[in-house]
Amino acid sequence: MSYRGRFAPSPTGDLHFGSLLAALVSFLQARKHGGDWLVRIEDIDETRTIPGADQKILQTLAAFGMHSDEPVMYQTDPQRQAVYQQALAQLTTQQLTYPCTCTRKQLAGSSVYPGTCRNQPSKANKPHSIRVKTQNQSYTFDDLFQGVQIQNLATQSGDFNIKRKDGLFCYMLAVVLDDADQRISEVVRGIDIMDSTARQMYLIELLGLTQPSYAHFPVVVDTHNQKLSKQNHAKPVTHEDPMSTTSVALELLGMTPPTAAKKTQSSLLDWAIKQWQPERLRGITELRY
């Protein structure tokens, strides 16, 4: 199968430097393999979506010379919602799901779901989420950046939600179906999402989908050792000087662009693709910005 990668931002605000780096890493990895690079807007949580943020994200990517090779996918598209519903119905038919009426207050302090509603009679007439049943099962994957990882569902999450009480589908279900339908061969994303991998591998297995490979690159932190994120009020990336910003990003990734490569944004990206060596990030968990 030919290489297919993706960048999947949530439209909850403008791109900051950390998310731009995520786009750049996935873009370089796809282009180095001579593959396709796709953009997906992960707007599954409509309660957090900021109107117009998706277009600002796409405009920023374009200003930095990165364009999706196929039409941008949106999780709120009715066709995608139908796909999620069909998968939920499949899991339910296999008796792998159950309604859960537990509140956040009831589960406060529990990192692993204790199986409360799994062991009680159905309360489907009350507001409820839908959880998928898990087993004491471990998953192993050889991460491109972080090496061999072993994750156990029983100790990391227990049964987990795939549909919320408010009727919205959960990211965990949507992302595996989106990756499968877009034929993503390698999932390139930040190490802060790595602990969700076993749950996604489990759903992929249950749904009979093809397992991609994984590459979790280091998280970008500031001088106070805080992750660059919207929650931590990271500043939006500006369009004024994309080459300077890209050069800083490349230096964080272990590359020093020569002056000749900085004539245009296009020539800078071409140089970076040729010089891209992901093994430089092997075993690194943080990049200080």
Side-chain angles (χ1 to χ4, degrees):
M1 184 172 66
S2 60
Y3 188 99
R4 287 171 67 85
R6 48 78 159 177
F7 173 56
S10 297
T12 55
D14 296 346
L15 283 187
H16 53 75
F17 183 80
S19 50
L20 178 71
L21 190 84
L24 183 61
V25 170
S26 62
F27 180 82
L28 294 178
Q29 184 69 353
R31 290 294 187 256
K32 186 72 173 184
H33 284 82
D36 294 323
W37 183 73
L38 312 182
V39 175
R40 176 195 311 148
I41 299 297
E42 293 194 334
D43 57 349
I44 194 73
D45 187 353
E46 298 178 53
T47 65
R48 298 178 61 237
T49 295
I50 295 178
D54 61 323
Q55 292 306 310
K56 287 187 176 181
I57 289 171
L58 296 175
Q59 289 165 8
T60 299
L61 292 174
F64 280 79
M66 293 181 280
H67 305 265
S68 180
D69 291 318
E70 294 179 4
V72 176
M73 175 183 283
Y74 285 78
Q75 294 176 323
T76 50
D77 186 301
Q79 292 182 334
R80 298 311 305 155
Q81 294 290 309
V83 169
Y84 309 150
Q85 183 60 47
Q86 184 178 13
L88 175 60
Q90 177 183 334
L91 296 173
T92 301
T93 299
Q94 295 173 307
Q95 298 184 332
L96 292 170
T97 66
Y98 61 89
C100 175
T101 58
C102 293
T103 64
R104 290 185 179 180
K105 184 177 180 180
Q106 288 174 311
L107 299 177
S110 299
S111 58
V112 176
Y113 183 67
T116 307
C117 289
R118 181 176 183 172
N119 303 320
Q120 292 181 353
S122 174
K123 298 179 181 179
N125 59 324
K126 297 181 179 180
H128 63 273
S129 63
I130 301 294
R131 288 185 185 270
V132 64
K133 298 176 182 177
T134 60
Q135 308 296 329
N136 185 4
Q137 188 172 352
S138 292
Y139 286 85
T140 302
F141 58 97
D142 189 2
D143 192 87
L144 177 67
F145 298 118
Q146 306 305 326
V148 176
Q149 304 292 317
I150 302 175
Q151 297 180 356
N152 182 274
L153 292 173
T155 59
Q156 279 194 288
S157 68
D159 300 345
F160 56 92
N161 281 324
I162 54 176
K163 193 172 187 182
R164 299 176 6 172
K165 286 183 181 179
D166 59 9
L168 297 180
F169 288 100
C170 295
Y171 162 81
M172 208 64 66
L173 179 64
V175 70
V176 301
L177 294 165
D178 295 342
D179 284 339
D181 286 352
Q182 290 190 304
R183 307 192 311 282
I184 301 302
S185 58
E186 183 176 57
V187 174
V188 180
R189 60 190 181 191
I191 193 175
D192 51 317
I193 310 177
M194 188 164 69
D195 65 357
S196 69
T197 306
R199 281 170 281 174
Q200 292 168 21
M201 293 178 74
Y202 176 61
L203 284 175
I204 289 169
E205 186 178 271
L206 292 181
L207 295 167
L209 306 175
T210 301
Q211 295 281 1
S213 56
Y214 292 92
H216 291 89
F217 54 85
V219 67
V220 181
V221 298
D222 60 20
T223 53
H224 302 291
N225 211 39
Q226 284 191 320
K227 173 194 169 187
L228 290 189
S229 66
K230 300 183 185 80
Q231 289 81 2
N232 292 331
H233 309 293
K235 295 180 180 179
V237 171
T238 64
H239 299 182
E240 282 81 6
D241 191 2
M243 282 188 287
S244 294
T245 304
T246 304
S247 295
V248 171
L250 293 176
E251 288 173 4
L252 275 184
L253 297 172
M255 295 181 276
T256 305
T259 303
K262 299 179 182 180
K263 292 181 179 179
T264 64
Q265 180 68 7
S266 178
S267 63
L268 182 57
L269 289 178
D270 288 343
W271 177 88
I273 292 166
K274 294 175 183 176
Q275 299 298 318
W276 174 238
Q277 296 177 28
E279 58 269 22
R280 288 175 174 149
L281 301 178
R282 187 82 169 181
I284 298 175
T285 58
E286 290 184 351
L287 295 173
R288 190 169 300 281
Y289 176 50

